[in-house]
Amino acid sequence: MSVSIGRSPRPTIAVAAFCLGFMAFSGYALSETTATLRIMQTTDIHVHVADYDYYANKQSASVGLAKVATLIEQARAENPNHLMIDNGDLIQGNPLGDYMAKRRGLQKDEVHPVFKAMNLIDYDVGNIGNHEFNYGLEYLGIALAGAKFPYVSANVFYDDGDLDPTNDKPYFAPYVILERELLAADGQRYPIKIGVIGFVPPQIMQWDKAHLSGKLIARDIIDSAHRYVPEMEALGADVIVAVPHSGLTAERPEVLDENATYELSLVPGIDAILFGHAHQVFPSETYADLPGVDVKTGTINGVPATMPGFWGSHLGLVDLELRRSTVGKWYVNGGEGKVRATYKREGREKIALVDADPKIMAAIAEEHQATIAYMSEAVGRTEAPINSYFALVADDPSIQIVTNAQKWYVEQLIKGTEYDGLPVLSAGAPFKAGGRGGPEYYTAIESGDIALRNVADLYIYPNTLRAVLLTGAQVQEWLEMSAGAFNQIDPGTTSEQALLNPDFPSYNFDVIDGVTYRIDLTQPARYAKDGSLADPDARRIVDLQFQGAAIDPEAKFIVATNNYRAGGGGNFPALDGTTTIIEAPDENRTVLANYIFELKSFNPSADMNWSFEPVSGDVNVTFSSSPAALKVLDGSLPIEAAGEADDGFAKYRMIMQ
């Protein structure tokens, strides 16, 4: 693949200034001219290097860095002045990542397959994403050592324990300053300094507390930008590119915001933003109504920006128009952000727009094939099919098998301890439930052998098991927060009403097994998405019972869950790490695999411990799911087909009486 014109060989990072390279600038003519700088971006690859679905064991038209590599080569050919930047969430997220971290391991001086690919593509800079920490700092360090390009993150520091932020030392280089040459409109080449600064959500300290507590500190994204951007300007950066692993929202900012991209666009000195984390596409109509956002030019408050989807679905492009003054200083005259897709959808089909780069596929062939073999290892047998088509709207076998496994595991752990004899509940959520992943993004396992592929499909995250000690009242508040997954239903209208709240992630819809309850959708949600109390008088959870009697608000319960939820992920009440009593060494999906292995054979039926409260009146409540769900509609659930939906989904109606 091509490289930037005038690019010097890969140098080391200077400790004092975090700068890259050195060029002798003498001899350049001081004349006014213009140039266009193209900055390309990938984000949220999540180890999807190959165009392959390891769960379905088949090629995929919609994923793969190997496919993006083809777009990169095309985009480079259009402009000799270019940079290539990745925005993190790279080494975790699919079976290839788990195979490397958990089965094969990564030794020092070995190169992770994602970096085999990225080194071939010739990236300039990488930013750290929150999922980079999922396998621990030691593994992350070994993996990053294989990258032939620098990494940045400006808001992560060593925890020196002295509570004095003024002497904190950055864990990563906060930024780099790339010294390059641009081919200008007058046909000459001129030097330019391009600063690249990265950020990660401060919530890593909650999400990966077990790996990071006592070792790192994460600070506010905007505060960190205000600290370092002027420093980069003082070091002569002509252009400053911010790379936040952070989403875009116009909500009022708070300290330690997870999604800070909008506020970052208001920081003086930032010329372009490459963002991510939200698994969305920018520019797109999704963001058309945000103040200050122009989706036609791909700008946020005038700053060109891009967010190129996830798993290799898109390539992000920011093209900056630059002017060079007679004193040799470059200025940004404007620019635009845009994306290019690796596939398109025609009806319910995904059509590849580019082929995977064969050089990338050849580079990872060994690990790719080993992952396929790894995922085929059998651990047990299911007597009936398992799917997650209706996991958001009815008690579901794909969640039931997980909660059963967690309960089984925790009950073994508490034997002979002070907690022995306390009732154990278990919380689980639908991870593959369509949404942004599309109409194919569901678990669908046929009856017969259960392989590791199927276990990973049922539990896609590398969470570790946790157990929390709660009162009956706190269990009810947990379920109230979970019930925010649904819109409020008006019983007095016959107009179509959407059941599911599109802003509520499916992985935050927790079902708690071991109790029974109903959800009254005619009531407003008690909690807002951020965990704040939206309506103190609202109660959606009704008839909450334990062992056939109303739950005692003061009774103690152990609830099996994962490190994300127990540590505060999702902003659930009473779940901030302080109620955790068990920090298990095993991942939840390892627990699931061992449980299935112990059973040998099982029937994955749901116990139907929750349902919706009937709604009086002739209401028309609908939701979307996969068209494949039509074949499993057998009358056992109060659901019927209701026609076509957008983006390849099918529409279904919930019978509420």
Side-chain angles (χ1 to χ4, degrees), residues 104-332:
R104 183 186 182 280
L106 190 65
Q107 304 302 315
K108 290 182 178 180
D109 300 324
E110 287 187 321
V111 180
H112 193 288
V114 294
F115 291 118
K116 289 182 179 181
M118 296 174 78
N119 292 340
L120 279 174
I121 293 171
D122 203 13
Y123 277 75
D124 291 273
V125 184
N127 180 45
I128 298 294
N130 56 285
H131 281 286
E132 257 64 76
F133 300 99
N134 287 172
Y135 300 128
L137 290 173
E138 181 180 3
Y139 183 84
L140 175 58
I142 295 173
L144 294 183
K148 294 182 179 179
F149 51 90
Y151 263 85
V152 292
S153 188
N155 62 320
V156 179
F157 300 84
Y158 286 97
D159 184 357
D160 56 18
D162 66 3
L163 303 179
D164 179 6
T166 64
N167 65 2
D168 288 345
K169 296 180 179 179
Y171 190 80
F172 304 96
Y175 59 83
V176 294
I177 296 180
L178 306 171
E179 298 189 359
R180 298 287 190 259
E181 284 184 329
L182 294 185
L183 180 63
D186 63 5
Q188 301 297 311
R189 298 175 184 173
Y190 300 96
I192 187 171
K193 291 184 177 181
I194 306 166
V196 182
I197 183 169
F199 307 93
V200 70
Q203 286 72 20
I204 59 171
M205 300 308 302
Q206 297 176 3
W207 300 336
D208 275 301
K209 181 179 179 180
H211 293 309
L212 305 183
S213 181
K215 299 175 183 178
L216 298 184
I217 295 173
R219 303 210 178 278
D220 184 75
I221 290 175
I222 304 304
D223 289 348
S224 300
H226 281 297
R227 171 181 176 179
Y228 286 117
V229 168
E231 189 174 303
M232 298 167 74
E233 292 177 315
L235 290 168
D238 298 289
V239 174
I240 294 179
V241 182
V243 191
H245 194 82
S246 184
L248 175 61
T249 175
E251 294 176 3
R252 187 174 179 177
E254 298 178 358
V255 176
L256 300 177
D257 267 359
E258 175 184 353
N259 296 307
T261 296
Y262 191 90
E263 287 299 306
L264 202 60
S265 72
L266 301 174
V267 175
I270 292 176
D271 299 301
I273 298 177
L274 312 180
F275 64 110
H277 181 57
H279 288 212
Q280 298 280 5
V281 174
F282 182 89
S284 71
E285 290 303 310
T286 300
Y287 300 97
D289 294 333
L290 291 185
V293 169
D294 187 335
V295 296
K296 292 182 179 178
T297 61
T299 57
I300 307 170
N301 295 312
V303 180
T306 183
M307 175 169 54
F310 61 103
W311 300 352
S313 63
H314 295 76
L315 172 67
L317 299 168
V318 167
D319 288 326
L320 295 179
E321 298 299 326
L322 306 179
R323 178 180 59 85
R324 184 177 184 270
S325 71
T326 56
V327 296
K329 173 69 176 176
W330 287 99
Y331 297 91
V332 178

Side-chain angles (χ1 to χ4, degrees), residues 409-427:
Y409 182 84
V410 169
E411 286 177 339
Q412 294 181 81
L413 286 183
I414 65 174
K415 286 181 179 178
T417 73
E418 61 183 299
Y419 303 111
D420 196 352
L422 285 179
V424 177
L425 312 179
S426 187

Side-chain angles (χ1 to χ4, degrees), residues 7 16 22 43 54 60 72 148 166 376 388 395 448 517 533 558 568 637:
R7 187 186 212 160
F22 178 80
T43 191
Y54 293 104
S60 172
I72 294 169
K148 294 182 179 179
T166 64
S376 298
S388 63
D395 200 20
Y517 55 98
L533 195 60
I558 297 171
L637 295 174

Side-chain angles (χ1 to χ4, degrees), residues 53 55 388-389 430-434 440-443 457-458 460 506:
D53 184 338
Y55 301 119
S388 63
Y389 297 136
F431 296 142
K432 296 184 68 176
E440 294 84 20
Y441 193 60
Y442 293 89
T443 293
D457 197 37
L458 287 163
I460 64 176
S506 67

